[in-house]
Amino acid sequence: QVQLVESGGGLVQAGGSLRLSCAASGITFSTRTMAWFRQAPGKEREFVTAITWNGGTTYYADSVKGRFTISRDNAKTTVYLQMSSLKPEDTAVYYCAAKWRYTSGSYYDSYEYWGQGTQVTVSS
C-alpha cells in the first residue's frame, strides 16, 4: 500500500513562511525522486521543486527559486517544502509526488505516486 500523506498547509499572510511535510510509506523511499507540484484555481498543475533520491541535487521552478527549499530525511521517509516570502500567487493546492529514480523522464514529470494535496492560501 503506497501512501504519500501531506501536512502543514494553511492560511498565511504575504511575506510569511510555511513548511509542508510529506510522509511516505509502502515504497522504498531512498530509491525515489521526490517532488512538489501545485495547482492554483483556474490553472493546470505545475511543477514546483524536486529532489533526487539521495538529496544530492535539487530543482526549482523559476517562480519559487530563492524562496522555497526542498529537503528530505530518508530515515524518516519524509520530504519537506520550506516556503518563505510567500506571495498571494503562491496560493494553490500543493501535492507531493514520488517516482523511482530510474523511471524515464525528466525531474519535472513522469511521477508515479501522488499525495492527496494540501491547501496553501496566502492573503495580501
Side-chain angles (χ1 to χ4, degrees), residues 48-101:
V48 177
T49 181
I51 186 167
T52 53
W53 64 277
N54 62 352
T57 308
T58 56
Y59 307 90
Y60 295 93
D62 288 342
S63 60
V64 306
K65 196 171 298 181
R67 299 188 298 117
F68 290 12
T69 302
I70 188 172
S71 62
R72 67 189 296 161
D73 186 335
N74 284 357
K76 296 181 178 179
T77 67
T78 300
V79 63
Y80 305 95
L81 179 62
Q82 176 65 239
M83 304 183 293
S84 300
S85 301
L86 284 162
K87 305 174 181 179
E89 50 263 46
D90 294 318
T91 296
V93 177
Y94 283 71
Y95 298 91
C96 178
K99 67 177 178 180
W100 186 44
R101 60 179 292 200

Side-chain angles (χ1 to χ4, degrees), residues 9-73:
L11 174 65
V12 298
Q13 293 192 184
S17 299
L18 201 63
R19 189 174 81 155
L20 307 183
S21 298
C22 173
S25 62
I27 59 173
T28 305
F29 186 77
S30 61
T31 68
R32 303 288 172 167
T33 300
M34 303 297 297
W36 290 93
F37 290 76
R38 67 186 182 186
Q39 187 169 17
K43 293 187 175 182
E44 292 190 345
R45 184 181 61 195
E46 65 174 341
F47 170 80
V48 177
T49 181
I51 186 167
T52 53
W53 64 277
N54 62 352
T57 308
T58 56
Y59 307 90
Y60 295 93
D62 288 342
S63 60
V64 306
K65 196 171 298 181
R67 299 188 298 117
F68 290 12
T69 302
I70 188 172
S71 62
R72 67 189 296 161
D73 186 335

